[in-house]
């Protein structure tokens, strides 16, 4: 037990006296920053291109994001690179209109100057996936991303964010689990960044994604398998018994499912996806051959050192 940090205990005990609304207040991390949104969207695109899944960015017209967090900025970056519809599915309403509009302006500026992907600053030291080259990926974009086109797209995005009639469609669904979506075989790409480790029912989530995508549609998920400050070691959360873990999750805004890399691959394949590309990031396992205590989950030897991974898969034609 000595591996558990003090803070989760304190938070759990506090959750018995504090109102749930206070604990679930908005705020989630990265997408508050337009530079973060820019680097995340382009990192997914660069690696989709590298894996051969993205041949022509102009064909990516309908996109969805799971867990956008503090803003819709990553999707707005997608709309600036040519998508026309963006659906954002979260469990908490973190994002607001003013911030989204501000971020749309900043992102347009970065695309206009074809800025390199931010990665050196302190705030990006934990941002994954890592790339070999962070220069602006001009090879992905043709002449259609001229300044004039970018300004037209920016205007369409701002009108959509302001609920004005627009050719650009943005649909923010903050409590998506409680709502049925009409999307059926329509989307080109669904992505997420640091989210799928928080989804309790990944089997349901990957199946919904499969339904929403058109045949040939792509998923691109960057998943963080680490402990999220619950324990001292990056993978110490896999060694906490079920009851203690349940107690420690009290008071968190959203859960941590503790599933390792291989479990996500299995669930994606069960939903019908074909895995096309993986980019794991490895860290040293301090627990040797000790078996994890996560119930009903088989850990492979490989899982024990995979701290995060980008996984890209397709819905077969
Ligand atoms: C660590 S934040 C990441 C936010 C954003 N993607 C980023 O990179 O900054 C996790 C996000 O996942 C959302 N989330 C948690 N469980 C979810 C679920 N079951 N379905 C969709 N989103 C979920 C949270 O509300 C939050 O917005």
């Amino acid at each position: 037990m000595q591996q558990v940090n003090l803070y989760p205990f304190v938070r759990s005990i506090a959750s018995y006296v504090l109102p749930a609304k206070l604990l679930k207040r908005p705020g989630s991390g990265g997408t508050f920053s337009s530079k973060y949104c820019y680097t995340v969207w382009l990192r997914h695109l660069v690696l989709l291109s590298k894996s051969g899944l993205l041949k022509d960015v102009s064909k990516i017209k309908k996109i969805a994001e799971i867990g956008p967090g503090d803003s819709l900025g990553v999707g707005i970056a997608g709309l600036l690179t040519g998508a026309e519809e963006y659906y954002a599915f979260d469990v908490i309403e973190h994002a607001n209109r003013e911030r989204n509009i501000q971020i749309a302006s900043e992102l347009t500026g970065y695309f206009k100057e074809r800025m390199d992907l931010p990665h050196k600053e302190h705030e990006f030291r934990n941002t994954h996936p890592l790339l070999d080259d962070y220069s602006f990926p001009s090879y992905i974009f043709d002449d259609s991303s001229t300044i004039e086109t970018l300004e037209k797209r920016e205007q369409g995005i701002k009108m959509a964010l302001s609920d004005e009639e627009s050719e650009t469609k943005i649909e923010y669904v903050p409590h998506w689990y409680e709502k049925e979506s009409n999307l059926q075989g329509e989307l080109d790409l669904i992505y997420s960044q640091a989210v799928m480790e928080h989804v309790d029912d990944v089997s349901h989530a990957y199946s919904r994604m499969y339904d929403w995508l058109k045949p040939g549609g792509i998923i691109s998920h960057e998943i963080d398998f680490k402990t999220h400050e619950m324990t001292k070691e990056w993978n110490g959360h896999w060694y906490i018994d079920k009851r203690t873990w349940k107690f420690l999750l009290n008071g968190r805004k959203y859960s941590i499912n503790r599933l390792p890399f291989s479990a996500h691959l299995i669930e994606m394949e069960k939903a019908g996806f074909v895995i096309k590309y993986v980019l794991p990031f490895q860290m040293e396992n301090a627990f040797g051959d000790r078996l994890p205590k996560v119930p009903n989950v088989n850990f492979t030897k490989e899982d024990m050192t995979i701290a995060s991974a980008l996984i890209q898969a397709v819905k077969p034609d």
Side-chain angles (χ1 to χ4, degrees):
M1 194 57 105
Q2 78 280 12
Q3 72 266 22
V4 178
N5 286 332
L6 184 62
Y7 180 63
F9 276 111
V10 175
R11 179 177 48 207
S12 180
I13 292 162
S15 73
Y16 291 99
V17 287
L18 294 175
K21 254 193 169 171
L22 195 64
L23 295 161
K24 301 259 176 189
R25 70 194 184 286
S28 76
T31 57
F32 203 86
S33 145
S34 55
K35 282 191 179 166
Y36 174 85
C37 299
Y38 180 80
T39 202
V40 165
W41 174 248
L42 286 179
R43 288 183 200 204
H44 280 264
L45 280 196
V46 163
L47 291 169
L48 282 167
S49 169
K50 184 174 177 185
S51 66
L53 293 176
L54 179 72
K55 303 230 163 45
D56 180 356
V57 75
S58 70
K59 299 237 161 74
I60 305 288
K61 291 289 177 214
K62 298 188 185 189
I63 61 175
E65 177 169 9
I66 313 297
D70 288 335
S71 83
L72 305 187
V74 183
I76 292 171
L79 293 167
L80 285 168
T81 57
E84 291 165 356
E85 293 184 20
Y86 164 57
Y87 301 84
F89 300 101
D90 211 313
V91 285
I92 299 177
E93 188 164 357
H94 303 283
N96 68 56
R97 180 182 301 178
E98 293 69 36
R99 189 180 308 135
N100 289 332
I101 288 179
Q102 171 72 26
I103 283 183
S105 300
E106 291 169 7
L107 285 169
T108 307
Y110 307 148
F111 280 109
K112 276 185 185 170
E113 64 176 91
R114 299 190 157 217
M115 183 174 84
D116 289 345
L117 282 59
H119 65 288
K120 283 198 198 118
E121 297 92 327
H122 183 72
E123 63 177 297
F124 302 118
R125 75 190 190 289
N126 293 324
T127 305
H128 286 243
L130 302 177
L131 303 181
D132 298 331
D133 179 5
Y134 291 91
S135 47
F136 183 80
S138 300
Y139 55 89
I140 292 181
F141 305 104
D142 59 19
D143 294 340
S144 69
S145 45
T146 56
I147 302 241
E148 201 185 319
T149 315
L150 282 168
E151 283 171 356
K152 202 167 155 237
R153 288 174 183 160
E154 177 190 15
Q155 200 188 7
I157 291 164
K158 288 184 174 171
M159 286 164 73
L161 289 170
S162 307
D163 296 328
E164 289 170 38
E165 206 165 302
S166 169
E167 281 172 16
T168 305
K169 181 171 178 180
I170 300 178
E171 205 172 299
Y172 184 27
V173 192
H175 304 285
W176 77 281
Y177 263 74
E178 296 153 24
K179 291 174 191 153
E180 273 300 311
S181 168
N182 296 329
L183 294 171
Q184 232 4 282
E186 287 177 49
L187 301 181
D188 299 297
L189 170 67
I190 303 174
Y191 63 91
S192 72
Q193 182 74 17
V195 174
M196 291 313 295
E197 69 271 24
H198 298 297
V199 176
D200 276 328
D201 191 348
V202 289
S203 162
H204 169 262
Y206 289 130
S207 294
R208 293 277 66 71
M209 292 179 214
Y210 189 88
D211 294 341
W212 298 336
L213 283 169
K214 59 165 71 153
I218 306 164
I219 51 173
S220 181
H221 295 293
E222 172 64 32
I223 311 176
D224 181 358
F225 307 110
K226 297 196 291 303
T227 180
H228 292 73
E229 281 97 44
M230 299 287 260
T231 59
K232 294 195 169 57
E233 297 294 338
W234 73 267
N235 56 352
H237 58 319
W238 290 336
Y239 294 89
I240 297 174
D241 66 80
K242 188 179 166 185
R243 272 179 66 185
T244 313
W245 183 249
K246 198 167 168 232
F247 173 77
L248 293 176
L249 285 182
N250 282 330
R252 281 191 59 89
K253 282 182 203 165
Y254 30 85
S255 182
I256 303 170
N257 58 36
R258 296 201 288 171
L259 295 176
F261 176 65
S262 66
H264 283 271
L265 295 183
I266 289 170
E267 291 302 334
M268 286 177 193
E269 283 175 336
K270 268 199 213 154
F273 288 107
V274 178
I275 310 292
K276 290 287 184 182
Y277 179 75
V278 294
L279 183 62
F281 174 76
Q282 291 182 299
M283 286 175 68
E284 207 173 310
N285 168 27
F287 293 89
D289 289 336
R290 267 178 63 190
L291 285 180
K293 292 185 180 170
V294 184
N296 309 319
V297 180
N298 290 319
F299 283 68
T300 66
K301 196 159 185 272
E302 194 188 31
D303 286 333
M304 305 311 302
T305 58
I306 300 185
S308 67
L310 177 78
I311 307 177
Q312 297 179 339
V314 293
K315 172 174 176 169
D317 278 317

